């Protein structure tokens, strides 16, 4: 029986959720025996694989690249996990929503003592009119709230998912 595959994805987040993933420390070795990490900011692979069993998503959906990425990830993932408050609620990135895109760009690139002026249009992907939690854009199977969720919570959730369990009951068996 082949090992289930695991991916992690980074949208609009601070990387704190990935830091919490790394905080599993020696349990990462146990995890590596149970699942194969096939795509992540932590591994050198550029394209999302054709089929992944479990994908953890950090961050909210803030720009057109995030949107295209999460749609592709969803299409190629069996169990999609919203990892952390930015993915679950839009959290910190969503704080720009009441102001509108133009005001935010002007504040960042025109009003401040900054740097690049006018706002860059080539390097930064266009912002969506509103930052969205992941489930507003694609269906989500499991939510792990927290800012960030603790390493203990992530490990327990992955153990359950790899074993085909969720807190609500059975899901599917991988590699069967
Ligand atoms: S939930 Fe918290 S730790 Fe995770 S990406 Fe958002 S701000 Fe960072």
């Amino acid at each position: 029986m082949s090992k289930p595959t695991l991916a992690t994805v980074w949208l609009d987040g601070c990387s704190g959720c990935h830091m919490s993933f790394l905080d599993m420390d020696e349990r990462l070795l146990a995890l590596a025996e149970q699942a194969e990490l096939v795509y992540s900011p932590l591994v050198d692979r550029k394209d999302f694989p054709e089929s992944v069993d479990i994908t953890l998503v950090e961050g909210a959906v803030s720009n057109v690249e995030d949107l295209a990425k999460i749609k592709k990830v969803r299409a190629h993932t069996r169990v999609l996990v919203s990892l952390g408050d930015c993915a679950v609620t839009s959290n910190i990135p969503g704080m720009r929503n009441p102001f509108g895109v133009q005001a935010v760009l002007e504040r960042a690139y025109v009003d401040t003592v900054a740097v690049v002026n006018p706002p860059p249009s080539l390097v930064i992907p266009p912002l969506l009119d509103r930052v969205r939690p992941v489930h507003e854009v694609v269906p989500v199977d499991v939510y792990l709230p927290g800012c960030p969720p603790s390493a203990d919570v992530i490990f327990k959730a992955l153990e359950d998912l790899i074993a085909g369990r969720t807190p609500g009951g059975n899901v599917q068996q991988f590699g069967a």
Side-chain angles (χ1 to χ4, degrees), residues 89-159:
T89 70
S90 83
N91 197 29
I92 307 283
M95 291 173 75
R96 78 162 163 87
N97 285 346
F99 303 102
V101 169
Q102 195 56 36
V104 167
L105 289 175
E106 285 181 12
R107 180 66 178 156
Y109 292 103
V110 179
D111 298 343
T112 57
V113 198
V115 282
V116 184
N117 188 350
S121 58
L122 294 179
V123 180
I124 297 181
L127 299 179
L128 300 176
D129 61 345
R130 196 169 61 82
V131 180
R132 294 174 186 165
V134 172
H135 68 271
E136 279 193 15
V137 176
V138 295
V140 168
D141 302 302
V142 176
Y143 296 85
L144 293 183
C147 185
S150 70
D152 290 348
V153 164
I154 297 171
F155 183 70
K156 180 67 171 69
L158 286 175
E159 264 196 326

